[in-house]
């Protein structure tokens, strides 16, 4: 449907009254209405033209760019120039594209369809990898959210306990302070009362002595004797004139230490930090046999070297061939918790049909971070025996025996660098030249050359 900004095209073939176009001929490069499109399809000249509806062109914009007529010579495109990578007509082959390697358009189309099929397969495989990666990332995100919620609850619980402990400690310190204050206050009040009593006795004796100075002689002598006795008593008792208890209450408060201790109470760290302190070990990090289970362990440790329990979804494996950097799709990947806390048992298989060279780079990631030692160089080891479908026994260099057994499609490849001897079996594209094309075929390669006498199919002996 045309937009308001672009009016619908009109039929270019109608004479007189023009109708709205519904089709377009890719060879004539003209718009036409439904009636003219029908006539175009039965005309002897144009019956083989490619006529598409405008809806089809809108759904696939590439169709509108396709031309089936040579723009230089206005002739039917019949060939494909492999060097220029474009369709050409017969005149192009003898003029502008002379001496170029060409093939018929039909052959090029068949090859393109085959290539599209291969690319589709690779695209689907890559999409599956991306989907798996997306699921893994989503799983890590879900685990992150779960960890966050659990950590937040734990922080609240710990600090609630700390607040309770601090409040209790506050009451204990205040109680201790109160006891020390009361003891000192009691002693000071007793001292105060003693001084007040003595002071009162002395003041009373002094006041009484004043009257004795003006009275009769006998009275004056008596008053003097009383005052002397009172002063003697004071001289004998000699009360302490200085406070015997200090006013200071010494409360020890290690504020810096307390703050440092509080600051150490909680520390938030990323789980990715665990990758740097965790340890991966085991035979599966050093060697692997194609199509057989390889294993290793991952000890998940924190910065204090204490075990941390993580779920299997926290670990991810990736692999590539050392020489070509081509990614490897590992099979049978399993991650399981071991009986020992913080230990993950990891199993994987290298597909035999994926073998590209003799060394694999294995990447081990813990919650998105590479563990120490990554990448691990894994040496490919030969299988313990060679199995082939069919009857009979073949001996190569007196060393390798192929015996009569049921075909095992898990074993598809073997190579020995010392003798440059290789064995391939299964459905492989490398046999497309015709050496061994039957399903589940078997071949021996010595010094990069196929040995025809040692080429078997599933029904051969």
């Amino acid at each position: 449907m045309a937009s308001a900004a672009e009016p619908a095209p009109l039929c270019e073939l109608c004479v007189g009254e023009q109708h709205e176009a519904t089709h377009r001929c890719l060879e004539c490069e003209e718009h036409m209405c439904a009636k003219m499109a029908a006539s175009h399809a039965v005309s002897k000249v144009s019956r083989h033209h490619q006529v598409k509806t405008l809806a089809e062109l809108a759904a696939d914009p590439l169709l509108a760019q396709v031309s089936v007529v040579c723009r230089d010579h206005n002739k039917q495109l019949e060939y494909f120039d492999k060097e220029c990578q474009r369709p050409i007509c017969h005149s192009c082959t003898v003029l502008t594209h002379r001496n170029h390697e060409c093939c018929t358009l039909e052959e090029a189309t068949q090859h393109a369809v085959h290539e599209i099929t291969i690319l589709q397969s690779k695209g689907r495989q890559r999409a599956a990898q991306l989907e798996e990666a997306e699921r893994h990332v989503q799983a890590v995100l879900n685990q992150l959210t779960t960890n966050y919620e659990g950590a937040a609850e734990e922080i609240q619980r710990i600090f609630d306990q700390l607040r309770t402990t601090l409040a209790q400690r506050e009451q204990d310190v205040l109680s201790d302070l109160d006891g020390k204050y009361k003891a000192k206050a009691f002693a000071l009040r007793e001292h105060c009362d003693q001084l007040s009593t003595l002071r009162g006795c002395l003041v009373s004796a002094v006041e009484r002595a004043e009257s004795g100075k003006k009275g009769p002689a006998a009275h004056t002598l008596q008053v003097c004797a009383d005052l002397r006795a009172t002063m003697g008593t004071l001289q004998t008792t000699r009360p302490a004139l200085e406070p015997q208890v200090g006013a200071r209450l010494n409360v020890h408060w290690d504020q810096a230490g307390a703050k440092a201790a509080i600051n150490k109470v909680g520390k938030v760290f990323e789980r990715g930090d665990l990758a740097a302190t965790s340890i991966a070990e085991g035979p599966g990090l050093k060697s692997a046999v194609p199509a057989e289970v390889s294993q290793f362990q991952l000890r998940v440790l924190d910065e204090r070297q204490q075990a941390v329990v993580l779920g299997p979804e926290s670990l991810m494996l990736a692999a590539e061939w050392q020489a070509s950097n081509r990614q490897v799709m590992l099979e049978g990947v399993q991650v399981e918790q071991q009986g020992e806390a913080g230990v993950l048992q990891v199993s994987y298989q290298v597909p035999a049909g994926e073998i590209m060279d003799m060394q694999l780079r294995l990447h081990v990631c813990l919650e998105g971070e590479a563990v120490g030692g990554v990448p691990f160089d894994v040496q490919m080891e030969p299988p313990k025996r060679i199995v082939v479908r069919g009857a009979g026994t073949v001996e190569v260099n007196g060393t390798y025996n192929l015996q009569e057994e049921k075909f095992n499609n898990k074993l598809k490849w073997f190579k020995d660098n010392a003798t440059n001897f290789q064995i391939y079996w299964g459905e492989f594209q490398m046999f497309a030249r015709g050496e061994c094309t039957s399903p589940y075929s078997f071949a021996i390669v010595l010094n990069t050359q196929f040995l025809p006498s040692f080429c078997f199919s599933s029904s051969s002996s």
Side-chain angles (χ1 to χ4, degrees), residues 332-346:
V333 177
Q334 293 184 350
V335 182
E336 299 176 343
Q337 286 279 3
Q338 287 295 93
E340 186 178 352
V343 177
L344 297 176
Q345 180 75 27
V346 186

Side-chain angles (χ1 to χ4, degrees), residues 279-385:
I279 300 175
E281 54 189 3
L285 299 177
K286 298 178 180 179
S287 63
V289 177
E292 293 187 12
V293 176
S294 300
Q295 292 183 329
F296 65 90
Q297 286 185 342
L298 180 66
R299 296 182 178 274
V300 185
L301 304 173
D302 62 15
E303 57 188 1
R304 296 170 296 176
Q305 293 297 296
Q306 294 184 350
V308 178
V309 178
L310 293 180
E313 70 281 353
S314 61
L315 187 137
M316 181 177 67
L317 289 184
E320 62 190 9
W321 294 117
Q322 189 178 64
S324 62
N325 291 327
R326 178 177 173 270
Q327 188 175 5
V328 180
M329 287 293 293
L330 299 177
E331 296 178 346
V333 177
Q334 293 184 350
V335 182
E336 299 176 343
Q337 286 279 3
Q338 287 295 93
E340 186 178 352
V343 177
L344 297 176
Q345 180 75 27
V346 186
S347 305
Y348 70 91
Q349 294 181 24
V350 179
E354 289 275 345
I355 300 298
M356 297 296 292
D357 55 48
M358 296 299 290
Q359 200 155 40
L360 186 76
R361 285 199 188 100
L362 186 65
H363 300 267
V364 183
C365 296
L366 189 62
E367 293 194 334
E369 298 290 336
V371 303
V374 165
F376 297 97
D377 292 332
V378 180
Q379 184 72 25
M380 291 292 100
E381 300 291 343
K384 294 181 175 60
R385 56 179 181 164

Side-chain angles (χ1 to χ4, degrees), residues 134-209:
E134 181 183 357
R135 281 198 298 267
H136 178 73
V137 172
Q138 184 62 47
V140 172
L141 175 59
N142 294 340
Q143 186 63 43
L144 173 65
T145 302
T146 301
N147 291 343
Y148 163 74
E149 293 172 350
E153 291 179 1
E154 184 179 6
I155 289 172
Q156 291 177 352
R157 180 180 60 81
I158 293 297
F159 276 89
D160 284 343
Q161 292 178 354
L162 288 174
R163 279 187 283 269
T164 301
T165 302
L166 285 172
Q168 184 60 50
R169 182 59 182 161
E170 179 185 9
Q171 293 302 315
D172 292 343
V173 174
L174 286 173
S175 177
D176 189 23
L177 177 67
D178 185 63
K180 287 181 170 55
Y181 164 74
K182 288 180 178 179
K184 284 193 171 188
F186 178 79
L188 290 171
R189 288 192 186 97
E190 286 287 319
H191 193 184
C192 232
D193 290 343
Q194 183 186 12
L195 292 175
S196 179
T197 300
L198 292 174
R199 180 178 58 80
C201 292
L202 183 59
V203 170
S204 176
V206 170
E207 288 177 352
R208 287 196 308 272

Side-chain angles (χ1 to χ4, degrees), residues 387-403:
V387 183
V388 62
R389 185 175 183 175
T393 300
V394 177
E395 185 174 351
V396 180
N397 293 340
T399 304
Y400 303 101
N401 292 309
L402 309 180
Q403 300 178 356

Side-chain angles (χ1 to χ4, degrees), residues 444-458:
I444 296 177
V445 178
L446 184 59
N447 294 326
T448 71
Q449 297 296 321
F450 281 91
L451 304 182
S453 59
F454 293 132
C455 190
F456 301 89
S457 69
S458 57

Side-chain angles (χ1 to χ4, degrees), residues 210-226:
E210 185 66 28
S211 62
K213 291 192 297 183
K214 300 177 182 181
H219 179 65
T220 299
L221 293 173
Q222 182 63 45
V223 168
C224 183
D226 290 342

